[in-house]
Amino acid sequence: MSTPHDSAQTQILSALNSMEPQDSLEILKMPMVKLLSQLNEEERVHYILGLFSSDADDKVSSMVHL
């Protein structure tokens, strides 16, 4: 069963997929800055590293030990 969240996500992804990657990122920039500013530093790092790898926890741990 589809939820309103699923529907919104599908619509957003459809709109972003119809654009060039640079345009999609520019559209996402302002809401992402706002949302990320509401997280603490550890949460922001975890989220951002998670964009690049599923091993975000391992990378954060490695960075802490530097």
Side-chain angles (χ1 to χ4, degrees), residues 42-59:
E42 183 179 336
E43 292 168 329
R44 275 192 304 273
V45 169
H46 187 279
Y47 178 81
I48 292 169
L49 289 176
L51 292 173
F52 301 102
S53 171
S54 61
D55 299 327
D57 289 328
D58 293 337
K59 290 182 181 181

Side-chain angles (χ1 to χ4, degrees), residues 26 31 33 35 37 39 45 54 62:
E26 191 60 34
V33 167
L35 291 169
S37 72
L39 300 176
V45 169
S54 61
S62 296

Side-chain angles (χ1 to χ4, degrees), residues 8-66:
Q9 185 176 17
T10 298
Q11 291 174 344
I12 292 167
L13 289 174
S14 178
L16 293 173
N17 286 333
S18 71
M19 299 179 215
E20 292 294 320
Q22 295 84 357
D23 295 335
S24 294
L25 290 171
E26 191 60 34
I27 296 277
L28 292 171
K29 184 178 179 180
M30 189 182 314
M32 289 301 297
V33 167
K34 181 178 179 181
L35 291 169
L36 289 171
S37 72
Q38 296 173 16
L39 300 176
N40 66 43
E41 184 176 357
E42 183 179 336
E43 292 168 329
R44 275 192 304 273
V45 169
H46 187 279
Y47 178 81
I48 292 169
L49 289 176
L51 292 173
F52 301 102
S53 171
S54 61
D55 299 327
D57 289 328
D58 293 337
K59 290 182 181 181
V60 170
S61 296
S62 296
M63 290 172 60
V64 170
H65 293 296
L66 290 177

